[in-house]
Amino acid sequence: MSHGRKINFAPGPSALPLEVLEKVHKELFNYNGSGMSILELSHRSALFADILNTAKQDLKELLKVPDNYHILFLQGGGTGQTAASALNLIGLKPSHMADYMVTGAWSAKAAKEASKYGKINHVFPKMESYTGIPDPSTWTMNPDSSYVFYCDNETIDGIEFPEIPETNGVSIICDMSSNILSRCVDVSKFGVIYAGAQKNLGTAGVTLVIVRDDLLTAIQPNCLSILDYSIMSKNNSLLNTPPVFSIYVLGLMAKYVKENGGLEKMEENSRIKSNAIYSVIDESDGFYKGKIDQKYRSRMNVVIRIGKPNACETLEKKFIEEAAKQDLISLKGHRSVGGIRISLYNSISIEDAEKLVEFMKDFQKQNS
């Protein structure tokens, strides 16, 4: 592997492209001839203003963000934004109610957090386990809700929405932390999109927030200034000291996507990679097992168990150990669900996925 690196299938913080890391390495000690490291750069400097504004412009072009939206770089991660989005907008209508589509661990946490600030209507019937998205005929939506929330891709459970759900004009708040920049999306259909950077956008420490202008007038008076979309937009995300380095890397990642075919190419790559992995699973005669309905299987996070139920843990431990010997790492499932989790973010190449495919086939032959 180049630079002694391994193929890192981590769910986040995730792998970064080698060319991005090389750029960081080159500029780490002396950014742009300033005589200072990027780690030392003042957030009030002209150099950082250029970094921040260029990152915003590149994201605007990539995502085709309409002019009536603000792009913010905030702190607190996706977890912080589950609170911030509710604090900002749950009072948009007198009901102080919001609809939540719970499809996995992250949307469940978001609903629980939002319940501190208003009433929560669960759109879907309660599920014993997360295996997909219920049929729209079973949905219970409240037209008086301030917004509808959903998580576009459940990183832990491996469920992804194939399309934007119909909300009949109610504003949508969407957590896109683990699949943003992996496919084309119509931003104009959302009120708020947020995404922690540590999957497809760079390093941990910064969260991208895209918010529609008209929603900036609906902020609750008890919302903390650091979480207030209106205040942060007026200050260009610089109310307080921002995560300078994380925004810098986010900018490099946006540039990387632009220079490597844009969202159309990222979407094509993700389809090729995930299809290759799912083909091995589907053709394994039950050796590799996924529980997610095929229509809702995530392109970003493939979650599986291996072997018979009474032998899963032993085989999975062996799978992880043998994969590591082939420089295929970070494949252990989330502690809450176990098993194997294969994360296929933009930084994982088609060639990387093909190496894992070959390993999976060989592992099955040796252990069936």
Side-chain angles (χ1 to χ4, degrees):
M1 302 290 295
S2 299
H3 298 264
R5 288 173 55 77
K6 300 179 180 182
I7 301 175
N8 180 10
F9 293 97
S14 63
L16 291 169
L18 186 58
E19 59 202 82
V20 169
L21 290 172
E22 288 174 337
K23 179 77 169 174
V24 172
H25 180 263
K26 181 180 179 181
E27 297 181 334
L28 187 62
F29 292 97
N30 187 353
Y31 176 74
N32 202 27
S34 66
M36 295 180 290
S37 168
I38 184 64
L39 297 171
E40 302 168 307
L41 208 60
S42 168
H43 65 293
R44 302 295 181 190
S45 67
L47 282 171
F48 180 67
D50 182 62
I51 289 171
L52 186 147
N53 292 327
T54 299
K56 285 175 64 174
Q57 185 58 38
D58 285 342
L59 286 171
K60 183 171 183 176
E61 292 176 12
L62 279 168
L63 290 162
K64 297 181 172 61
V65 179
D67 290 338
N68 62 323
Y69 284 75
H70 284 271
I71 295 175
L72 308 176
F73 299 128
L74 306 183
Q75 299 177 61
T79 298
Q81 286 308 311
T82 63
S85 57
L87 272 170
N88 275 267
L89 301 176
I90 205 162
L92 184 61
K93 293 182 181 179
S95 65
H96 275 255
M97 177 181 286
D99 287 354
Y100 274 73
M101 296 181 168
V102 176
T103 54
W106 290 112
S107 50
K109 288 181 179 180
K112 182 178 180 181
E113 181 67 25
S115 68
K116 299 175 183 178
Y117 316 114
K119 303 173 186 176
I120 300 305
N121 173 52
H122 288 266
V123 174
F124 303 150
K126 184 174 177 58
M127 291 181 265
E128 294 300 321
S129 64
Y130 301 117
T131 60
I133 299 167
D135 186 271
S137 64
T138 68
W139 299 4
T140 304
M141 304 183 76
N142 191 323
D144 293 325
S145 285
S146 295
Y147 61 81
V148 177
F149 172 94
Y150 75 98
C151 179
D152 206 26
N153 183 78
E154 290 282 1
T155 318
I156 292 174
D157 301 279
I159 295 171
E160 184 174 30
F161 277 77
E163 55 197 20
I164 301 169
E166 177 56 57
T167 62
N168 300 312
V170 179
S171 293
I172 300 173
I173 294 177
C174 186
D175 178 355
M176 291 190 186
S177 292
S178 53
N179 66 352
I180 197 162
L181 296 192
S182 72
R183 64 182 178 186
C184 300
V185 61
D186 185 353
V187 173
S188 70
K189 291 187 176 181
F190 297 88
V192 175
I193 293 171
Y194 66 80
Q198 65 275 13
K199 319 284 188 180
N200 275 326
L201 287 172
T203 57
V206 65
T207 308
L208 168 68
V209 176
I210 303 172
V211 56
R212 201 173 63 226
D213 284 355
D214 63 292
L215 297 180
L216 297 177
T217 63
I219 312 306
Q220 300 306 291
N222 63 340
C223 185
L224 302 175
S225 294
I226 198 171
L227 300 178
D228 188 315
Y229 296 155
S230 178
I231 291 174
M232 295 305 283
S233 65
K234 289 174 183 175
N235 286 273
N236 196 25
S237 304
L238 296 173
L239 175 69
N240 62 318
T241 305
V244 171
F245 180 75
S246 297
I247 294 172
Y248 159 72
V249 178
L250 183 151
L252 295 181
M253 287 296 294
K255 195 75 72 179
Y256 166 84
V257 173
K258 285 184 68 176
E259 293 172 352
N260 285 274
L263 298 193
E264 292 80 4
K265 187 61 175 177
M266 297 302 110
E267 184 168 359
E268 177 187 345
N269 289 350
S270 73
R271 184 173 60 252
I272 292 170
K273 291 181 292 186
S274 59
N275 284 349
I277 300 294
Y278 282 122
S279 290
V280 176
I281 297 167
D282 293 341
E283 297 167 9
S284 71
D285 293 324
F287 183 78
Y288 297 112
K289 296 181 293 294
K291 67 175 184 177
I292 308 304
D293 295 342
Q294 187 168 350
K295 183 179 179 181
Y296 305 111
R297 296 194 298 197
S298 171
R299 298 166 301 120
M300 297 289 103
N301 310 102
V302 180
V303 177
I304 58 172
R305 302 304 304 258
I306 303 178
K308 297 179 180 180
N310 61 350
C312 275
E313 291 187 8
T314 300
L315 266 182
E316 287 158 0
K317 181 180 179 182
K318 184 177 181 182
F319 180 93
I320 292 167
E321 291 172 349
E322 293 296 320
K325 295 176 183 177
Q326 303 297 319
D327 292 331
L328 306 167
I329 62 171
S330 304
L331 290 163
K332 188 175 182 179
H334 190 270
R335 61 186 179 278
S336 64
V337 296
I340 302 296
R341 176 167 50 169
I342 303 163
S343 296
L344 301 169
Y345 302 128
N346 289 345
S347 299
I348 296 294
S349 69
I350 292 173
E351 291 73 24
D352 293 340
E354 288 173 345
K355 290 178 181 177
L356 180 59
V357 163
E358 292 308 310
F359 170 77
M360 291 174 71
K361 290 178 179 178
D362 288 341
F363 187 83
Q364 181 181 355
K365 289 178 183 177
Q366 296 167 12
N367 295 277
S368 290

